[in-house]
Amino acid sequence: LTAGLTAACQSPGDTHEELRFDREGSAEQLVRFMAMEGDWRIVGGDHSQGASHSYKTIANGTVVVETAFPGQPHEMITVFHLDGPRLVMTHYCAAGNQPYMVAEHPSGDRVHFRFEGASDLNNANAPHMRDASYHFIDRDRVNSTWHYWEDGAKVSEMNIELERVPE
C-alpha cells in the first residue's frame, strides 16, 4: 500500500525538478524556504529549550513545513507550496484558525503574503493573522513579520528574527 501511494503521488517526469522550477518568481521563493531546512532559533531568545523553529521539505520536494515552538502548547505549523503559478501558505495558528495567504509578486530577498481566507474563522472580525512577510538576509538569518487582526483592524505586529542553529 505504501509503495502504491508513493507511486501515485510522484510528480510527472523523471524528477520533481521540472515541477518545482517551471514557475518563475514563485518557484524561486519556494526554493528559498527549502534552503531553510533544519533548526532555527530566535535571536536573543531563550535557547535552553532548543530550536524555536524548524523547517522541513516534504512531498517529493514540493512543500516546506515550518514548525514554530516545537513541543510547546502554542506550537504552530505553516505550510508553504506552489498552487499553479502562486506561492501560498497555510498557517495553523494557536488561535485555532488556519489563515490561507498568497505571496504578492515574490522576488528578491523578500516575500509578502496577503490574507485570502481562513478556515475555522467564525467571522471576519475574529482574531487572526492577516499577513506575513519574510526577509531572507543571508543563508543563516531570516526575519519575519506577522500582523494580527481583530475587529477589522491590525491590533499587533510580531517581528521574529531567526538565526540558523549551528550544527
Short mmCIF file of all heavy atoms in Angstrom, two decimals, residues 42 53 68-69 74 76 91 93-94 129 131-133 143-149 154-161:
data_model
loop_
_atom_site.label_atom_id
_atom_site.label_comp_id
_atom_site.label_asym_id
_atom_site.label_seq_id
_atom_site.Cartn_x
_atom_site.Cartn_y
_atom_site.Cartn_z
N ILE A 42 15.26 32.02 17.75
CA ILE A 42 15.01 33.46 17.79
C ILE A 42 16.26 34.14 18.34
O ILE A 42 16.79 33.74 19.38
CB ILE A 42 13.78 33.77 18.66
CG1 ILE A 42 12.53 33.18 18.00
CG2 ILE A 42 13.63 35.27 18.87
CD1 ILE A 42 11.26 33.32 18.82
N HIS A 53 12.22 27.18 15.99
CA HIS A 53 11.59 26.93 14.70
C HIS A 53 12.37 25.83 13.98
O HIS A 53 13.59 25.74 14.13
CB HIS A 53 11.62 28.18 13.82
CG HIS A 53 10.72 29.27 14.29
ND1 HIS A 53 10.93 29.96 15.47
CD2 HIS A 53 9.61 29.79 13.73
CE1 HIS A 53 9.97 30.86 15.62
NE2 HIS A 53 9.16 30.79 14.58
N ALA A 68 6.82 26.15 14.37
CA ALA A 68 7.21 27.19 15.33
C ALA A 68 6.93 26.70 16.73
O ALA A 68 5.86 26.16 17.01
CB ALA A 68 6.43 28.47 15.06
N PHE A 69 7.89 26.84 17.60
CA PHE A 69 7.79 26.46 19.01
C PHE A 69 7.46 24.98 19.18
O PHE A 69 6.50 24.61 19.86
CB PHE A 69 6.78 27.36 19.74
CG PHE A 69 6.97 28.81 19.43
CD1 PHE A 69 6.07 29.51 18.65
CD2 PHE A 69 8.11 29.48 19.89
CE1 PHE A 69 6.27 30.85 18.34
CE2 PHE A 69 8.32 30.82 19.57
CZ PHE A 69 7.39 31.51 18.80
N HIS A 74 1.78 26.11 22.48
CA HIS A 74 1.41 27.01 21.39
C HIS A 74 2.13 26.68 20.08
O HIS A 74 2.27 27.54 19.21
CB HIS A 74 1.66 28.48 21.80
CG HIS A 74 3.09 28.76 22.14
ND1 HIS A 74 3.67 28.36 23.32
CD2 HIS A 74 4.05 29.42 21.46
CE1 HIS A 74 4.93 28.76 23.35
NE2 HIS A 74 5.19 29.40 22.22
N MET A 76 2.92 25.80 16.43
CA MET A 76 2.17 26.14 15.22
C MET A 76 2.91 25.60 14.00
O MET A 76 4.13 25.46 14.03
CB MET A 76 2.00 27.65 15.09
CG MET A 76 1.14 28.25 16.20
SD MET A 76 1.05 30.04 16.11
CE MET A 76 2.57 30.49 16.95
N HIS A 91 -1.32 28.81 7.54
CA HIS A 91 -0.75 28.94 8.89
C HIS A 91 -1.73 28.28 9.88
O HIS A 91 -2.85 28.75 10.03
CB HIS A 91 -0.55 30.41 9.23
CG HIS A 91 -0.09 30.66 10.62
ND1 HIS A 91 1.14 30.22 11.08
CD2 HIS A 91 -0.68 31.28 11.66
CE1 HIS A 91 1.27 30.58 12.35
NE2 HIS A 91 0.18 31.22 12.73
N CYS A 93 -2.64 28.11 13.22
CA CYS A 93 -2.37 29.04 14.31
C CYS A 93 -2.83 28.50 15.67
O CYS A 93 -3.83 27.79 15.77
CB CYS A 93 -3.08 30.36 14.01
SG CYS A 93 -2.62 31.70 15.10
N ALA A 94 -2.11 28.92 16.71
CA ALA A 94 -2.50 28.58 18.08
C ALA A 94 -3.84 29.22 18.45
O ALA A 94 -4.50 28.80 19.39
CB ALA A 94 -1.42 29.03 19.06
N MET A 129 -4.27 35.96 12.10
CA MET A 129 -3.13 36.50 11.37
C MET A 129 -3.61 36.93 10.00
O MET A 129 -4.28 36.16 9.31
CB MET A 129 -2.00 35.47 11.24
CG MET A 129 -1.29 35.16 12.53
SD MET A 129 -0.44 36.63 13.14
CE MET A 129 0.31 35.97 14.60
N ASP A 131 -1.52 38.92 7.60
CA ASP A 131 -0.47 38.88 6.59
C ASP A 131 0.85 38.58 7.25
O ASP A 131 0.99 38.68 8.46
CB ASP A 131 -0.42 40.18 5.77
CG ASP A 131 -0.11 41.40 6.61
OD1 ASP A 131 -0.97 41.84 7.38
OD2 ASP A 131 1.03 41.89 6.50
N ALA A 132 1.81 38.18 6.42
CA ALA A 132 3.14 37.83 6.92
C ALA A 132 4.17 38.18 5.86
O ALA A 132 3.88 38.10 4.66
CB ALA A 132 3.21 36.34 7.25
N SER A 133 5.34 38.59 6.31
CA SER A 133 6.45 38.90 5.40
C SER A 133 7.70 38.18 5.87
O SER A 133 7.92 38.05 7.08
CB SER A 133 6.72 40.41 5.37
OG SER A 133 5.62 41.10 4.86
N ASN A 143 14.27 37.20 8.82
CA ASN A 143 13.32 37.93 9.66
C ASN A 143 11.92 37.71 9.11
O ASN A 143 11.73 37.70 7.89
CB ASN A 143 13.62 39.43 9.65
CG ASN A 143 14.92 39.76 10.33
OD1 ASN A 143 15.46 38.98 11.09
ND2 ASN A 143 15.43 40.95 10.07
N SER A 144 10.96 37.57 10.01
CA SER A 144 9.56 37.52 9.57
C SER A 144 8.75 38.50 10.42
O SER A 144 9.08 38.77 11.57
CB SER A 144 8.98 36.11 9.65
OG SER A 144 8.90 35.66 10.98
N THR A 145 7.72 39.02 9.79
CA THR A 145 6.80 39.95 10.46
C THR A 145 5.39 39.43 10.23
O THR A 145 5.02 39.13 9.09
CB THR A 145 6.93 41.38 9.88
OG1 THR A 145 8.30 41.80 10.04
CG2 THR A 145 6.02 42.34 10.59
N TRP A 146 4.63 39.35 11.30
CA TRP A 146 3.26 38.85 11.25
C TRP A 146 2.33 39.91 11.82
O TRP A 146 2.62 40.50 12.86
CB TRP A 146 3.13 37.57 12.08
CG TRP A 146 3.93 36.42 11.53
CD1 TRP A 146 5.28 36.23 11.63
CD2 TRP A 146 3.42 35.33 10.79
NE1 TRP A 146 5.63 35.07 11.00
CE2 TRP A 146 4.52 34.49 10.48
CE3 TRP A 146 2.15 34.95 10.37
CZ2 TRP A 146 4.37 33.31 9.76
CZ3 TRP A 146 2.00 33.78 9.66
CH2 TRP A 146 3.11 32.97 9.36
N HIS A 147 1.20 40.13 11.15
CA HIS A 147 0.20 41.10 11.63
C HIS A 147 -1.05 40.36 12.09
O HIS A 147 -1.63 39.56 11.35
CB HIS A 147 -0.15 42.10 10.54
CG HIS A 147 1.00 42.98 10.19
ND1 HIS A 147 1.20 43.45 8.93
CD2 HIS A 147 2.00 43.48 10.94
CE1 HIS A 147 2.29 44.21 8.91
NE2 HIS A 147 2.80 44.23 10.12
N TYR A 148 -1.43 40.65 13.33
CA TYR A 148 -2.60 40.04 13.97
C TYR A 148 -3.75 41.04 13.92
O TYR A 148 -3.58 42.19 14.34
CB TYR A 148 -2.23 39.68 15.41
CG TYR A 148 -3.13 38.70 16.08
CD1 TYR A 148 -3.20 37.37 15.66
CD2 TYR A 148 -3.92 39.08 17.17
CE1 TYR A 148 -4.01 36.46 16.30
CE2 TYR A 148 -4.73 38.16 17.82
CZ TYR A 148 -4.78 36.86 17.38
OH TYR A 148 -5.57 35.95 18.01
N TRP A 149 -4.88 40.60 13.40
CA TRP A 149 -6.04 41.49 13.21
C TRP A 149 -7.21 41.04 14.07
O TRP A 149 -7.38 39.85 14.35
CB TRP A 149 -6.48 41.47 11.76
CG TRP A 149 -5.59 42.25 10.85
CD1 TRP A 149 -4.25 42.11 10.67
CD2 TRP A 149 -5.99 43.29 9.98
NE1 TRP A 149 -3.79 43.00 9.75
CE2 TRP A 149 -4.84 43.74 9.30
CE3 TRP A 149 -7.22 43.88 9.69
CZ2 TRP A 149 -4.88 44.75 8.36
CZ3 TRP A 149 -7.26 44.90 8.75
CH2 TRP A 149 -6.09 45.32 8.10
N LYS A 154 -5.63 46.00 12.38
CA LYS A 154 -4.41 45.40 12.92
C LYS A 154 -4.29 45.78 14.39
O LYS A 154 -4.38 46.95 14.75
CB LYS A 154 -3.19 45.91 12.16
CG LYS A 154 -1.89 45.30 12.65
CD LYS A 154 -0.71 45.68 11.78
CE LYS A 154 -0.31 47.11 12.01
NZ LYS A 154 0.96 47.47 11.38
N VAL A 155 -4.13 44.77 15.26
CA VAL A 155 -4.00 45.04 16.70
C VAL A 155 -2.60 44.78 17.21
O VAL A 155 -2.23 45.27 18.28
CB VAL A 155 -5.04 44.25 17.54
CG1 VAL A 155 -6.45 44.72 17.24
CG2 VAL A 155 -4.90 42.76 17.32
N SER A 156 -1.80 44.01 16.46
CA SER A 156 -0.42 43.80 16.89
C SER A 156 0.44 43.37 15.72
O SER A 156 -0.06 42.88 14.71
CB SER A 156 -0.33 42.79 18.03
OG SER A 156 -0.65 41.50 17.58
N GLU A 157 1.74 43.56 15.91
CA GLU A 157 2.73 43.16 14.93
C GLU A 157 3.79 42.36 15.67
O GLU A 157 4.29 42.79 16.70
CB GLU A 157 3.35 44.38 14.26
CG GLU A 157 4.44 44.04 13.27
CD GLU A 157 4.97 45.28 12.56
OE1 GLU A 157 4.24 45.87 11.75
OE2 GLU A 157 6.13 45.65 12.85
N MET A 158 4.10 41.19 15.14
CA MET A 158 5.11 40.34 15.75
C MET A 158 6.29 40.25 14.79
O MET A 158 6.14 39.83 13.64
CB MET A 158 4.56 38.93 16.01
CG MET A 158 5.54 38.02 16.68
SD MET A 158 4.91 36.36 17.10
CE MET A 158 3.36 36.22 16.29
N ASN A 159 7.46 40.69 15.24
CA ASN A 159 8.69 40.61 14.45
C ASN A 159 9.55 39.50 15.03
O ASN A 159 9.84 39.49 16.23
CB ASN A 159 9.45 41.93 14.50
CG ASN A 159 8.69 43.02 13.81
OD1 ASN A 159 8.44 42.96 12.61
ND2 ASN A 159 8.28 44.03 14.57
N ILE A 160 9.94 38.58 14.16
CA ILE A 160 10.73 37.43 14.59
C ILE A 160 12.03 37.42 13.80
O ILE A 160 12.02 37.32 12.57
CB ILE A 160 9.97 36.10 14.36
CG1 ILE A 160 8.62 36.13 15.08
CG2 ILE A 160 10.82 34.91 14.80
CD1 ILE A 160 7.71 34.99 14.69
N GLU A 161 13.15 37.53 14.51
CA GLU A 161 14.46 37.48 13.89
C GLU A 161 15.05 36.10 14.19
O GLU A 161 15.27 35.76 15.36
CB GLU A 161 15.34 38.58 14.45
CG GLU A 161 16.67 38.71 13.78
CD GLU A 161 17.51 39.86 14.33
OE1 GLU A 161 16.97 40.67 15.12
OE2 GLU A 161 18.69 39.91 14.00
#
